[in-house]
Structure formats: structure tokens, C-alpha cells
Amino acid sequence: MRILVTGAAGFIGSHYVRTLLTGGYPEHTDAHVTVLDALTYAGSTRNLPIGHPRLTFVKGDVRDRPLLDRVLPGHDAVVHMAAESHVDRSIAGPAEFVRTNVLGTQEVLDAALRAGVRTVVQVSTDEVYGTIESGSWTEHEPLLPNSPYSASKASADLFARAYWRTHGLDVRITRCANNYGPYQHVEKLIPLFVTNLLSGRPVPLYGDGLNRREWLHVDDHCRGIHLVLTRGRPGEVYNIGGGAEMSNRDMTEKLLELCGADWRMVRKVADRKGHDIRYSLDDGKIRTELGYEPRHSIDHGLREVVEWYRGNPAWWKPLQDR
Ligand code: NAD
């Protein structure tokens, strides 16, 4: 199997590729992987096993049509992860989110069609559903995104659906909860808090800290993506959840404890504009249809992640203050 993964020099894509190339998906121990990544501020070849005999790295933009037409032919599948992914950045400057997340996705879908790629997985997010005070979203929920980031991802999902309906392209969409794990950029909540605390710096907590998120280990997300790629159905959407739900305050408490700090290190800052109150996914479909089950408990996973950042300052120190 030849798989092209866009955006795999970033957090989730690099985990997926490292897992694929180290036999983490037993049915695909001989898969060949091509990574296509523009290496924005969020991506780095340091995250990938460059030089691995079954890995080809191509530096390039998903909006570069001639490049896509050179690179995509010969691949069985595309896992499309390239995106601008940080909500705060989308509030400050949404244009790049439209360019990469919407136009980039449309170009990838179109190129996949021209190249005869068998399957495309569009990696999306629970944030496209908006915010939910109680209960959980199934895949039938309407898309009601509230941030420019989630609006761009929702638009991309709609293009994916349209390419399936219009052209019969086998596209499958995954929508996952908030991820945590090693190699996550220090701009995101968990790595920001951990690296600040490990550097003796205070951490910024938005508003009252009562916004609730569902946290899933990146390894569980990637296994869900691979299940959808290998066993999912064309044109279908699969929520990937099963993480631990907690408020930002509770997450802060856990991270303070793991880093040996206390609430004196916390600074309350003005709330994020349009801050969604709560996300919650119903992941019954991927569990019953594809046998998905998360493996990582939040307490063990967080402890491992803190240890990873503690042991790898050379990876994250250059990213601080950039
Ligand atoms: P990330 O920001 O860590 O990585 C994004 C990667 O995309 C980077 O390597 C970057 O260089 C690359 N990229 C950006 N623009 C590009 C372009 N125009 N052309 C080619 N490459 C480009 O993001 P992540 O957290 O790994 O997220 C990966 C995907 O998963 C995204 O589509 C995101 O929306 C989705 N997702 C993320 C989460 C999460 O919690 N992080 C949850 C659900 C879904």
C-alpha cells in the first residue's frame, strides 16, 4: 500500500507516519509513505524518521496543483491532515486558514480524482459541530462552527462530501476531539502549560477556566484514522472520541501537579473571543462499525507526555517565544 499523508511534519501526521513505519498497524508493515508538507512554523522534519527506506518526504504546498499532479499518481490513498490548526491564530488572521484549509483541501480532492487515488481520508475536528452544553454529537449533527478555524474545517468537510456525491470519489471524513501527545507544538494548551512550567514561567488560563474539552491521546486518534482508511465506508463521517472530558481548570490542576507547581503559577487572562463552552462526541459509530476503542488513559497519557517534554528540551526550546 502506498499512502500519501499531507501535513505529516506536524503533530498528528508525524505520529501517524512514525507508527506506520514502525509496524504499529500490523496489517500494513510494508506500507510506503509519502509525506507532503510545506514546513510552516508548525511543521518540522525533526518529527519524522527522515532516511527511513519506506518514507519519501516532499516539501510542498497542498495548493500547488502541478506539484500534486507529479506526486499523487501511484498512491492508493491520501490521508489529508495539512491545515492551519490553531484557533487563536485563526481569530487574529483567518485568511491563511481559508487558503490552506479550504482551497488546499479542494486542490487535494481534485488532484486525487485526476490521479485515480482510491481513497481519501479528510482529517477533521469535532469543532465543526460548534458547542454543546449537554449530551454528545453524532455524525448527523448540523455543522455550526464558531471560530474561523472550525469554519474553514467545516468548509473543507463539505467539499469532501461534494467530491464524493458529485464525482464518486471515495472520501471518508474523521472528526476527532482535542488531541494530546508528544511532538505537539508549544502554542497548544497542554504543551504550552507544560513547557512554561518546566521553564519556571506562569501559565495563562482563559476566562473562568470552565470551558470543557474532551482529550484524546494522539495514538488513539491515529488508530481511528487508520481504521477509517482501511475499513471505513466511502462518503461516511466517523467521530473519533472516547477521550477524557474535563474543564480547562481541571486540566490545569493536573498539569500543575505533574510539573511540581501550584496555582501561584496561573495567570487568568481575558477569554478567547467566541470561546466554545463544551465539545462532546458520540463515537458509537466507529466503535460498532470498525471496532475502535481508545487504549490510553488520561492520567497515564499525561504523565508520559510531561516526561516527554521534560526529556526533550532541545525539541521545544527553539519553538518557545517564536
Ligand atoms: P499541526 O499544526 O501540528 O500540523 C499541521 C501541518 O500541516 C504542519 O506540518 C504544517 O507544516 C502543514 N501545513 C500547513 N499548511 C500547509 C500547506 N498549505 N501545505 C502543506 N502543508 C501544510 O496540526 P495537527 O494538530 O497535527 O493537526 C493535523 C490535522 O488534524 C489538522 O487537519 C487538524 O485540523 C486536525 N485535527 C487536529 C486536532 C488537534 O487536537 N490537534 C484534533 C482534531 C483534528
Side-chain angles (χ1 to χ4, degrees):
M1 192 179 202
R2 299 188 80 89
I3 307 177
L4 184 138
V5 190
T6 69
F11 165 48
I12 298 170
S14 70
H15 187 92
Y16 181 62
V17 169
R18 290 192 307 271
T19 308
L20 248 176
L21 294 176
T22 52
Y25 307 123
E27 295 159 30
H28 296 102
T29 49
D30 57 352
H32 283 255
V33 182
T34 303
V35 170
L36 174 63
D37 196 294
L39 298 181
T40 68
Y41 79 95
S44 171
T45 51
R46 295 186 304 155
N47 301 346
L48 290 166
I50 296 293
H52 190 288
R54 287 184 285 111
L55 173 67
T56 305
F57 178 77
V58 179
K59 180 174 187 288
D61 199 301
V62 287
R63 293 163 292 181
D64 184 342
R65 193 173 304 171
L67 177 68
L68 292 175
D69 282 342
R70 274 201 309 279
V71 176
L72 258 64
H75 288 91
D76 302 296
V78 170
V79 178
H80 178 46
M81 306 217 202
E84 288 293 334
S85 67
H86 191 38
V87 175
D88 289 341
R89 286 179 187 260
S90 82
I91 294 167
E96 198 56 18
F97 286 71
V98 176
R99 285 195 279 264
T100 286
N101 299 2
V102 186
L103 298 178
T105 300
Q106 183 267 320
E107 289 291 359
V108 168
L109 294 165
D110 221 53
L113 199 58
R114 286 193 297 277
V117 170
R118 216 165 48 218
T119 304
V120 177
V121 178
Q122 152 70 1
V123 177
S124 190
T125 163
D126 59 356
E127 301 189 30
V128 298
Y129 295 122
T131 186
I132 186 166
E133 286 197 10
S134 59
S136 303
W137 293 301
T138 70
E139 291 82 356
H140 297 294
E141 211 68 32
L143 303 187
L144 293 170
N146 292 321
S147 72
Y149 163 67
S150 52
S152 68
K153 294 295 292 185
S155 309
D157 288 10
L158 294 179
F159 270 100
R161 176 188 154 80
Y163 270 73
W164 169 61
R165 292 286 294 201
T166 306
H167 300 292
L169 182 67
D170 172 354
V171 189
R172 306 157 189 200
I173 298 172
T174 62
R175 297 193 178 129
C176 188
N178 279 31
N179 283 209
Y180 70 93
Y183 296 91
Q184 188 171 27
H185 195 282
V186 299
E187 69 186 356
K188 303 283 168 48
L189 190 147
I190 291 177
L192 176 70
F193 280 29
V194 171
T195 58
N196 273 14
L197 293 170
L198 294 179
S199 316
R201 300 180 184 186
V203 297
L205 183 63
Y206 277 136
D208 57 13
L210 295 181
N211 304 64
R212 299 182 75 77
R213 297 290 180 264
E214 183 180 346
W215 293 98
L216 187 73
H217 196 285
V218 63
D219 189 58
D220 288 324
H221 182 191
C222 288
R223 201 156 0 84
I225 290 170
H226 198 65
L227 275 173
V228 170
L229 170 64
T230 53
R231 297 193 210 152
R233 287 181 292 136
E236 292 292 319
V237 177
Y238 295 90
N239 289 341
I240 304 178
E245 182 183 327
M246 68 180 82
S247 69
N248 289 344
R249 245 191 105 76
D250 291 344
M251 176 57 81
T252 303
E253 178 81 46
K254 279 187 187 293
L255 297 177
L256 287 169
E257 194 187 317
L258 286 168
C259 295
D262 60 38
W263 281 92
R264 283 173 296 185
M265 294 302 282
V266 179
R267 303 281 177 275
K268 291 222 169 135
V269 296
D271 207 355
R272 172 189 274 169
K273 281 185 179 176
H275 207 176
D276 288 332
I277 300 293
R278 177 174 175 264
Y279 302 140
S280 179
L281 285 173
D282 179 332
D283 64 353
K285 179 175 173 181
I286 191 171
R287 285 179 190 256
T288 48
E289 233 182 69
L290 308 182
Y292 164 80
E293 209 177 315
R295 293 180 182 163
H296 298 262
S297 78
I298 188 77
D299 287 331
H300 185 251
L302 278 182
R303 201 170 316 119
E304 263 184 4
V305 166
V306 170
E307 283 318 304
W308 187 86
Y309 282 95
R310 209 190 284 283
N312 290 280
W315 185 88
W316 54 264
K317 281 216 188 278
L319 302 176
Q320 271 189 322
D321 306 322
R322 263 195 7 198

